């Protein structure tokens, strides 16, 4: 089992992921994607809620991949981009909206970002595999903030 950081940059796909407990990936992505059984840490970028001056990039959810990534019968589209493959998730917990672990604060402690000055470059993808020590740290920081999916799902609805 690996842990993947799933990077969500807009509230519309975030709401879809949380409501449907599914993840979709853009056309052309075939490497670095999670596998069935992998743990997922959901990350919202500072622009996800369309107010990057106020918001911070946060890890705000914990899930498990429950199916292999496969071609979707019909692509889903967000912001003019087609997402042609996907998998199902079981969301175990969510932090309330605008809460969660601020990733930038922990970058110097994370192995996945060997150069803290350029860490954001590694975030320009849908999924990022995390070293075990990084996953442990982020999970420990997130755990006290988590609520049930049902308790906070409405905060993420459009």
């Amino acid at each position: 089992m690996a842990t993947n950081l799933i990077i969500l940059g807009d509230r519309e796909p975030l709401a879809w992921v949380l409501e449907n407990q599914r993840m979709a990936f853009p056309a052309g992505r075939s490497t670095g994607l999670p596998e069935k059984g992998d743990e997922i840490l959901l990350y919202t970028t500072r622009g996800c809620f369309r107010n990057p001056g106020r918001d911070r990039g946060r890890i705000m959810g914990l899930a498990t991949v429950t199916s292999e990534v496969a071609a979707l019968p019909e692509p889903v589209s967000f912001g003019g981009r087609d997402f042609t493959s996907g998998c199902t998730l079981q969301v175990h917990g969510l932090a309330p909206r605008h809460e969660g672990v601020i990733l930038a604060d922990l970058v110097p402690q994370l192995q996945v970002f060997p150069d803290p000055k350029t860490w954001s470059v590694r975030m320009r993808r849908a999924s990022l595999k995390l070293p075990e020590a990084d996953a442990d740290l982020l999970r420990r920081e997130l755990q006290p903030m988590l609520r049930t999916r049902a308790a906070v799902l409405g905060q993420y609805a459009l």
Side-chain angles (χ1 to χ4, degrees):
M1 176 184 91
T3 300
N4 297 270
L5 190 65
I6 295 292
I7 301 156
L8 297 154
D10 190 75
R11 63 187 184 186
E12 184 182 355
L14 172 64
W16 182 87
V17 166
L18 298 179
E19 178 67 30
N20 295 288
Q21 295 194 82
R22 293 175 59 200
M23 183 62 202
F25 299 98
R29 300 276 180 187
S30 60
T31 59
L33 298 179
E35 299 177 8
K36 185 177 180 180
D38 281 358
E39 177 180 65
I40 297 295
L41 292 170
L42 297 168
Y43 172 81
T44 55
T45 66
R46 54 183 274 199
C48 186
F49 299 103
R50 302 180 184 163
N51 192 343
R54 174 199 65 200
D55 295 330
R56 305 281 311 272
R58 298 175 188 271
I59 298 169
M60 45 60 68
L62 180 67
T64 301
V65 178
T66 58
S67 73
E68 296 297 334
V69 174
L72 296 175
E74 291 194 29
V76 292
S77 295
F78 300 107
R81 291 182 65 195
D82 288 337
F83 295 77
T84 58
S85 62
C87 60
T88 56
L89 304 174
Q90 179 182 1
V91 177
H92 303 295
L94 299 170
R97 186 170 169 165
H98 303 302
E99 294 184 29
V101 177
I102 298 173
L103 186 61
D105 292 349
L106 298 174
V107 164
Q109 300 173 53
L110 299 172
Q111 298 169 14
V112 75
F113 304 118
D115 180 6
K117 292 177 186 171
T118 61
W119 74 276
S120 63
V121 171
R122 303 223 43 209
M123 301 296 286
R124 294 182 183 143
R125 60 188 78 201
S127 177
L128 178 64
K129 287 204 186 299
L130 297 174
E132 190 173 333
D134 292 358
D136 290 344
L137 171 63
L138 295 172
R139 194 181 315 104
R140 272 194 316 273
E141 293 289 321
L142 178 63
Q143 201 66 47
M145 301 176 196
L146 293 177
R147 308 292 177 263
T148 65
R149 177 178 164 268
V152 296
L153 183 62
Q155 296 175 19
Y156 290 96
L158 294 179

